[in-house]
Amino acid sequence: MRIPSSLGLTAELACLIQLWPIATHVLPRTQGVNYTPVPPPGLDLTSLGRVALTGNFDAISIYTYQQQTEDAFSTNGTQSLITRLPNGDFANAANADGYIKTMCPFVMQNGTLAGIIVGGNFTSLGGVQAQAVAMYDPSSAKVTPLTGLNGTANALLCDRDSNTVYVGGQFKGSNSTNAIIWVGDSGWANLPFEGFNGPVNSIIKGSNGTVIFGGSFTGIGNKTAPAKKDQQVINVSSANLTSGGTSTTAGFNNESNIVCKTSGKDGAGNTWLLQDNTPGFWRADMNFGYEPSLLRIWNTHHQGRGTKTFRFTAIPLNGIMNFTFTDPETGKDAYCDARCPLSSNPSIPYQDFRFFNTVGMSAFRIDISDWYGQGGGLNGIELFQNGVLLACLRLLPQLIVTDVFAYAENDLNEPSCANIDFPSKASVTGPWTVTPSGKSYSRYLSADLSGGDTNSQDVSVVFQPDIKQQGNYSVTIYTPGCLEDKSCDRRGKVNVTGNYATSTAQGSPLQIEIYQTNNYDKYDEIYRGPVDVSNGDFRPSVTLTPLLSQRDNVMLVAQRVQFSLIGNATSTLNGLYEFDPNSQTPDTDFSNSTMDQAGADLDRGALITSMAILGNATYVAGNFSDKSAGFENIFAIGSGNSTPLPNGGLNAQVSSMLVYEDLLFLGGNFTNTMNGSVPGLNNVAAFNTTSQAWKALGAGVNGAVNTVVSLIVNVTTNTPELCISFNGFFNRIEASGSDKAVSVDGFGVWVPSRQNWLQNLHLQSQAITGQLSTMTNITGGTPLLAGTLSTEDISASDAVALTSDPLRIQGLNIGIQPQPAGPVTRKRAVSNQNVSGVVTGLFETDNNLNVTVLGGHFTATASNGSTIENLAFINNAGNSAETITGLTSGLDSDSAFLALATINNLLYAGGTVTGRVNDADVNGLVVYDLSQGAYSYPQPPVLGGSDVAVNAITKRPNKAQVFVGGHFDTAGSLGCPSVCVFENGAWNQPGIGIGGSVAAFMWQGNNKLLAGGNLTVMNNATSLANYDTARTTWTALNGVSGSVPGPVTALTQASSDSSHFWVAGKASNNSAFLMRYDGSNFQTVGDVLGNKTTIRGLSVLALDKERRNANNLVSSGMTLLVTGELDLPNFGNASAALFNGTTFSPFILSTSGNGPGSLSQLFSEKQVSFKDAGGPMAVGFVVLISLACALGAIFLLVVAGILIERYRRKHDGYTPAPTTYFDKTSNMGRIPPEHLFGRLGQSRHPPML
């Protein structure tokens, strides 16, 4: 072959190894990830007293780093590389489209870290196409694909001493199967023994420098020659046929004349000819890829014509193939490439040309360069694969292949003209359609299940291969990538069920679940074992059906299955093999190795899943037994011998093993030791290698464990500890001692320092859910995890305290568990949202009480251990310890509290509340005496109407009146729709004309109440209405019509007098709106929130310092807190955000189960104090302030004058005044009085000018 084929693994990897030093500079890489801290929000909550948040969540965080999200952990078979943030949360570093099964740090001999080698069954990592193995740079988050393997990598060993990475798994690469090495700067290289005949699951380096492989293999090497070669015909009959230089003679000018023709007859309709004395070509383009092993050609002899020489070109790489053949004249073997000869002897029916290289192709071309007689031509062509005949042409070139395929699209299976008794075929049921191959291997079938029909009996593809040789086979199923057909968001899981031999057909069929979420083409091994030949009584089959109970709108794909003959064991290997890297040839005398001999001593069919070295011993775990030695599933090898562990090991498979100090932590599906002497080992266990004793981890878990992975967890706030995670198919940590059983989702964390499960500690611990598959340490860096996690700062349910100095969240630790929302009739009016979790709360501190009240639809645990339903009281009064209580019996358990208010220690609690209290029915509202800890007697007369719900309760300022709003028609016998007032033990109707459903109240002064909801005033629809207590009248708020696009569900003041306020709700198109009223007009924040947004609460909060970017919506010293289920632009889901008038900033993130959580509201001990009133000052105040300023200025001027005069006198000198008085009477005689006053009475004349 002159040019290697891109579809041939051997040629492809040979080329890659040669070009790797150059390719590393041009391979695509991802961009780095910077863990960027978020500027603190600068909240000042000190004036509010105690502050709390309520909602529906089980884990919650303050948004601290940009990489934090509310994203759920993946359940669609995809995983990620995960790193730990400085605050203890975890964030994805690079996403894969499949499982990540193994990692190791590739440290070179000079001590530099080349990167983290990552292995699994993915086809892309970090957005870069990477099959099975890639290298990740933790400093820049760049991903470099290590192209060349096809399959799954299960195990890695990075060996610094030799700059080598050992890779094991289920794959093909270069000339190796299931084991290969990556060498420093060179690339892929074959091991001397070229792999194994079965998968590798674990690789470790022995203390003596050897490399130990563990898996389920029985021999080394990658080849098993079929007893019957070249048995599957490649289907050329469905190919697109073209030619050049073709004869114009009728009957001889059709390219299809030579397809499916094996008789060798010449003549019209049977022969394809070229024009006289003209070279030409014949080409076939298939809709699938293949690797032919044999070409069979029938030459024409029509009128002395015929082909003398030809060449075969593989497409798309345009490589000229090399052949070996038997010269019909001499009977000797010969070689050819560009000028392969054909005989003109009519007695030779056809000639076979065997491909020298196994090369992948999807089309081929035969060029005729010389001819006999007047021109060239052919009578037939067939192509074969080993084990499978793919198609016959009557050219009759025939191609032959090693592996047996069965395609979902029958046009790609063996042609009918091949005259095969049991040809490969597929039976299809359901809405399957043909999808173009694009960049995939072949065309495939797709089934759109958007109608929700996932019945496995209605949608299926049954593959039936043409098996001609009985033996051991590896069966793989191929899945096309989802990027090509743009179906990634719709792909799901499928069930694959196999009947491979008469023994499995008579028993239970073998079943496995396969994810189809891969970005690029992949294959999964679904079976390894005996397969019977096809006959009239039995045919091996593989059935693909949709997995039940998955979401609607799923897209399934089906392409092909492959049966590869692997043969029987050729040696005494049994799952263990020790390799000496210093040896150029493998030692086939396995008795020379203690490790190999230990495997050989196990009962045949051993499965090794995990190995570890601790001290002087190598521990081997898996699914095996040694009946003669009396142990099962785990043993140790030390001092040249195999040693059973105490009690005979474990009684079922060990799937994963982790070394921690002198302990081995193990996970699997065992329940005890082999002899049953250590109870509590339910799927998890610890083995102390020092004391040689087994230890139970509590009472274990109730399902199988797949992986055991260490991680660092904030067991208490900001206190990280190394913990052990167990991951698998379980949903409960079993009860043990005083610890009750805990529900989990396949993820449990054992805390070695506490000798207990994290879920049992009831601390302010970090909340972590998901699954981990592996981890690796990075020298000088944060450990890198792999899996899928969802994490928040603390594990807390539905209600938390919030402090600002420092800003943090604290759980209440009362064992809250949200209850499922009730039926439709229990939905909250107006917002039409199901109610679950804690909806509302308040602090009551009057009359020496100190009670926190929480209301909603939940259960909690009282101090006496009893169960509280829907309304909880946390009493902190006095010096006694905190006590938690609830309501006494009487209310229905499906009640939900939506609104709370207190007056004189009486709690008015409303919602969708029903039951009997004090021998009287209640509906919508109940009154509870907090000082007495009992229901008030008597209760208010019952509210009436259809779907009664109380959504808002408020006390009138300076009055003993309680306003109740919601969805009701009557109060007792009083007609009192939507809003009613309770005072002095009786209901009163506050005016007339109000109707609809009230969602929120807000007082604007002492005498004016604002109501929001889906309202009517005098039968006119509105979302906001004012009630004047002096006039007892309702009026629709001016400017609402045409401005507010839907019912109002949340209200809060925006100024101290509440003349300015914020409103939120849902518009008629189901989008969320948020608006500010400035006293005359509504100002909207714009259509910036996502369609999934539901706003449940609004609060204006103070900042610790004023912002520079003040605006008309939010004053410089304040910010608006928006709570609910928010879809923020350029971010995603958040439970609370802060709005500064221009942008939303995520503030609180929460999760509930495996999805986003929500916050209902913030409540505080005191009301917010506005730093900026937000409105014009009254004229009287302006005059008074002006007068005060003027008087102050005058005073300052007088004082200044006095000071200046004193200074002048001091500067000019000062003479004291006389202190003696002269005699005033002595001068009285000198001027008689009449001389002074005598003329006063005389007339006066004007002065003369």
Side-chain angles (χ1 to χ4, degrees), residues 76-159:
N76 66 352
T78 61
Q79 295 185 336
S80 303
L81 297 178
I82 302 169
T83 188
R84 190 172 185 267
L85 298 176
N87 67 345
D89 287 349
F90 294 91
N92 292 345
N95 298 326
D97 65 344
Y99 285 115
I100 298 171
K101 296 189 172 186
T102 179
M103 295 188 294
C104 67
F106 190 18
V107 179
M108 310 296 282
Q109 288 177 338
N110 60 10
T112 60
L113 177 66
I116 304 299
I117 306 299
V118 182
N121 72 344
F122 50 82
T123 65
S124 71
L125 180 66
V128 176
Q129 183 174 358
Q131 182 84 37
V133 182
M135 185 161 58
Y136 173 77
D137 184 346
S139 62
S140 64
K142 294 179 179 179
V143 173
T144 302
L146 307 186
T147 309
L149 299 189
N150 191 8
T152 300
N154 295 331
L156 295 170
L157 170 66
C158 292
D159 183 24

Side-chain angles (χ1 to χ4, degrees), residues 562-865:
Q562 177 184 8
F563 285 67
S564 298
L565 187 65
I566 58 176
N568 297 315
T570 58
S571 69
T572 59
L573 287 184
N574 190 23
L576 285 173
Y577 177 66
E578 186 175 20
F579 168 66
D580 183 359
N582 297 319
S583 175
Q584 297 299 316
T585 58
D587 185 359
T588 56
D589 185 358
F590 304 124
S591 62
N592 293 330
S593 166
T594 301
M595 192 66 59
D596 296 350
Q597 188 60 49
D601 291 341
L602 300 175
D603 296 338
R604 301 306 293 174
L607 168 64
I608 309 301
T609 60
S610 183
M611 299 183 294
I613 295 177
L614 186 57
N616 296 322
T618 300
Y619 293 86
V620 181
N623 188 354
F624 51 77
S625 63
D626 187 335
K627 294 179 181 178
S628 61
F631 66 81
E632 293 181 351
N633 303 310
I634 185 169
F635 69 98
I637 302 174
S639 302
N641 297 304
S642 298
T643 305
L645 267 60
N647 312 107
L650 296 168
N651 64 358
Q653 177 173 318
V654 177
S655 299
S656 183
M657 183 166 53
L658 175 71
V659 175
Y660 173 75
E661 296 180 346
D662 63 344
L663 298 175
L664 289 176
F665 285 95
L666 304 104
N669 61 353
F670 47 82
T671 58
N672 207 316
T673 58
M674 187 189 75
N675 61 15
S677 59
V678 184
L681 305 182
N682 293 309
N683 305 294
V684 298
F687 180 74
N688 191 309
T689 59
T690 301
S691 63
Q692 291 290 295
W694 292 101
K695 176 180 175 56
L697 306 182
V701 298
N702 71 331
V705 170
N706 292 335
T707 59
V708 183
V709 182
S710 64
L711 76 164
I712 297 174
V713 177
N714 287 346
V715 176
T716 57
T717 304
N718 298 323
T719 306
E721 294 186 31
L722 184 66
C723 300
I724 312 298
S725 73
F726 293 84
N727 311 265
F729 299 101
F730 54 90
N731 56 28
R732 186 176 67 247
I733 295 175
E734 301 287 17
S736 175
S738 60
D739 294 321
K740 298 179 180 180
V742 180
S743 296
V744 293
D745 194 2
F747 183 78
V749 177
W750 180 260
V751 184
S753 66
R754 309 293 179 108
Q755 291 296 294
N756 206 339
W757 296 96
L758 178 67
Q759 289 85 346
N760 285 334
L761 296 180
H762 306 297
L763 301 172
Q764 293 284 315
S765 299
Q766 190 174 4
I768 309 176
T769 55
Q771 296 264 298
L772 290 175
S773 57
T774 186
M775 66 81 63
T776 188
N777 289 310
I778 303 174
T779 303
T782 302
L784 190 65
L785 302 170
T788 172
L789 291 183
S790 175
T791 65
E792 303 295 349
D793 287 350
I794 64 169
S795 177
S797 293
D798 298 342
V800 293
L802 179 67
T803 62
S804 61
D805 190 17
L807 183 64
R808 66 178 182 177
I809 290 173
Q810 293 179 296
L812 300 182
N813 293 328
I814 64 172
I816 293 177
Q817 293 291 328
Q819 295 301 297
V824 175
T825 56
R826 309 297 293 172
K827 288 183 179 180
R828 182 177 182 177
V830 183
S831 63
N832 200 34
Q833 296 292 321
N834 288 331
V835 175
S836 182
V838 179
V839 177
T840 185
L842 59 78
F843 296 104
E844 175 62 15
T845 56
D846 291 344
N847 301 322
N848 297 320
L849 288 181
N850 187 359
V851 180
T852 303
V853 184
L854 302 175
H857 188 51
F858 59 88
T859 62
T861 303
S863 297
N864 61 7

